[in-house]
Amino acid sequence: MSAIMSRGRLKLLGHRLRERLWVKPLVICLLSIANVFVAKLADDSDLAQLMPAISADSIESLLSIMASSMLVIATFAVGSMVSAYASASSTATPRSFRLIIADDVSQNALSTFIGAFIFSVVALTAVKNDYFESAGLFTLFILMAAVFSIVILTFLRWVDRIARLGRLGMTIDVVEKATADALMRRRDAPTLQGVAQRSQDAVGTAVFATTVGYVQHVDIAALQACAEKGQGRIVVTALPGTFAAPGQALARVSDSPDGDTAIDCDQVIQSFVIGDDRTFQEDPRFGLVVLSEIAGRALSPAVNDPGTAIDVIGTLVRLFVLWNDSGAQKEGEAPKYDRVEVPELAVMDLFDDAFTAIARDGAGTIEVAVRLQKALRSLALIGDFAMRDAVAYHGRLALARSEKALTLPADVATVRAVAALAQSAAFAQRG
């Protein structure tokens, strides 16, 4: 399969389409128009004589009511969704906008309302022009009743959803779910089904980015094809989430030892999808950064909401417990792409993304500082050696910040006592 049509790129395209508000309404509108003409098929069927007669005037009245009401509801839905999106960006972080706008319930509701409006307009036009006979009118009546039922059920579900969409608690839950999905995918394939990087210092000819942006997707299958064609090896140096710019290596290639073939560097560059923004799907570190940003905004003097920061700390603990769970890993399985070396995510980097900003912004808030040390102790008790090292480092760093930010000696003593428990847990488990 070519790099353009690989499975990974198709998944990436699917995620992009989910973030477009016009995609689902367009599909529903086409189906609505098709349903109107499906009713015409009943006039030519053998069941036409068995169907009861329905007055065209009654159908016209119902369709007119539907057409006028659905346009109003669709306009109201758009306004409510825009308000929810603005609320999510202002109360949480603008980086959560992509997840909020991809909410399936809201998109399905908007699609249903617009689809019902298009259905009623097209059907009303057909009825007024005597397009249907008695069987077609009865079939159209059945379809109209079904559309009414779908609209009512969708509206009730959407009202419950829109009441919570954009609220801070729901935004945290949405970001947590997206981050958890990305972490599980990377946990189950730490090297993206390639080979673990053999050396920290990658060797080979550097392949540089030609555009400026963030790496959103690395097509490992396309890189494998390039390596097989050139009978060489490729070392990925820019994972999803890496900021790419001309002069910064995306990968390093090593051609075949005999020198008869060479890897096409242009195809290697095309295997990296670079965009303006980081994404959640293949960049688990981005989700941790967004959660940390939410906590940082809550700890700002303008908001002063330490409870949200504590909630985010609990969310981060759940995510790291999920990352540490090795039950789903497939040990001993041969890598699918044996000519592509991919570095694994470092736990220390994950901790930097998650806890550094919270420790800095919450250093002067006793409840946040204490909860952060308790969270680190919990991770030390269940983590591996790398996680315990990260706990020890970030625990000391957070304590140092709190000692400088807290003014009451009793508060400093409290944080020191909890930090000592976290440090002892990290070193005890290591021993």
Side-chain angles (χ1 to χ4, degrees):
M1 182 177 291
S2 64
I4 297 178
M5 294 301 295
S6 66
R7 180 179 300 179
R9 288 177 181 263
L10 289 177
K11 287 184 179 180
L12 184 66
L13 178 60
H15 287 298
R16 294 296 173 271
L17 291 178
R18 283 189 59 192
E19 298 170 359
R20 299 294 185 267
L21 282 177
W22 57 267
V23 176
K24 285 187 177 180
L26 176 62
V27 174
I28 296 298
C29 288
L30 295 177
L31 292 176
S32 301
I33 296 174
N35 283 334
V36 174
F37 293 99
V38 166
K40 179 62 177 178
L41 300 177
D43 290 328
D44 301 327
S45 66
D46 297 334
L47 299 177
Q49 298 178 353
L50 303 177
M51 295 182 181
I54 298 293
S55 173
D57 293 337
S58 62
I59 293 181
E60 288 181 12
S61 301
L62 293 174
L63 289 174
S64 299
I65 295 173
M66 180 185 293
S68 57
S69 60
M70 285 302 100
L71 183 60
V72 174
I73 293 177
T75 304
F76 170 71
V78 172
S80 300
M81 292 167 64
V82 170
S83 299
Y85 300 153
S87 175
S89 298
S90 60
T91 60
T93 171
R95 260 64 64 187
S96 64
F97 178 76
R98 286 179 176 270
L99 296 177
I100 301 301
I101 202 173
D103 180 66
D104 289 333
V105 176
S106 297
Q107 288 194 6
N108 292 340
L110 180 62
S111 302
T112 301
F113 300 150
I114 295 179
F117 171 74
I118 297 298
F119 170 82
S120 58
V121 169
V122 175
L124 184 62
T125 303
V127 171
K128 285 185 173 294
N129 287 275
D130 299 327
Y131 182 70
F132 299 106
E133 298 178 9
S134 59
L137 289 175
F138 180 76
T139 304
L140 185 62
F141 176 78
I142 298 298
L143 291 174
M144 185 175 57
V147 171
F148 264 124
S149 302
I150 294 174
V151 167
I152 292 173
L153 294 176
T154 302
F155 182 78
L156 293 176
R157 186 186 180 198
W158 174 74
V159 167
D160 176 71
R161 186 72 167 192
I162 202 65
R164 294 179 283 111
L165 186 66
R167 299 297 185 266
L168 185 57
M170 182 179 178
T171 302
I172 295 175
D173 293 339
V174 171
V175 176
E176 178 185 1
K177 183 180 183 306
T179 308
D181 292 341
L183 283 172
M184 285 190 294
R185 284 192 293 269
R186 185 60 63 86
R187 180 199 65 186
D188 296 339
T191 58
L192 304 178
Q193 297 184 318
V195 180
Q197 186 173 340
R198 299 176 179 177
S199 174
Q200 294 296 330
D201 298 326
V203 297
T205 304
V207 178
F208 300 102
T210 56
T211 57
V212 177
Y214 291 95
V215 177
Q216 298 178 342
H217 172 70
V218 181
D219 195 339
I220 305 296
L223 292 177
Q224 175 75 9
C226 292
E228 290 178 347
K229 184 177 180 181
Q231 297 182 5
R233 300 188 66 83
I234 298 176
V235 179
V236 175
T237 58
L239 291 173
T242 303
F243 184 75
Q248 181 171 344
L250 297 176
R252 290 186 175 273
V253 299
S254 300
D255 297 329
S256 61
D258 55 16
D260 293 337
T261 57
I263 297 176
D264 189 346
C265 293
D266 291 336
Q267 292 185 1
V268 173
I269 295 174
Q270 293 175 5
S271 300
F272 289 81
V273 177
I274 299 176
D276 295 335
D277 304 306
R278 297 176 70 173
T279 60
F280 290 89
Q281 288 75 32
E282 300 184 32
D283 183 8
R285 294 183 59 181
F286 183 52
L288 298 176
V289 170
V290 171
L291 288 170
S292 181
E293 286 182 353
I294 294 175
R297 174 168 291 191
L299 291 171
S300 64
V303 179
N304 191 22
D305 181 18
T308 296
I310 293 174
D311 185 20
V312 170
I313 291 174
T315 299
L316 292 171
V317 171
R318 284 195 298 271
L319 291 173
F320 279 109
V321 170
L322 180 67
W323 171 261
N324 187 72
D325 183 11
S326 60
Q329 293 183 3
K330 301 177 181 179
E331 298 181 357
E333 183 178 351
K336 186 176 180 181
Y337 308 109
D338 57 352
R339 289 182 177 269
V340 182
E341 297 181 19
V342 181
E344 298 184 19
L345 290 178
V347 176
M348 188 67 74
D349 292 339
L350 298 178
F351 269 63
D352 290 340
D353 297 329
F355 296 119
T356 298
I358 298 177
R360 178 198 64 209
D361 297 333
T365 307
I366 178 64
E367 57 266 40
V368 176
V370 169
R371 183 57 62 92
L372 178 58
Q373 294 291 346
K374 289 182 177 179
L376 292 175
R377 180 176 183 270
S378 300
L379 294 177
L381 294 174
I382 58 94
D384 54 11
F385 287 105
M387 188 170 291
R388 292 166 201 153
D389 289 340
V391 166
Y393 172 76
H394 279 272
R396 292 193 301 268
L397 205 59
L399 175 61
R401 287 192 169 101
S402 295
E403 288 175 339
K404 288 184 175 295
L406 293 173
T407 57
L408 191 65
D411 290 343
V412 176
T414 300
V415 177
R416 284 175 177 170
V418 180
L421 293 176
Q423 294 294 316
S424 62
F427 286 101
Q429 293 295 323
R430 186 186 308 173

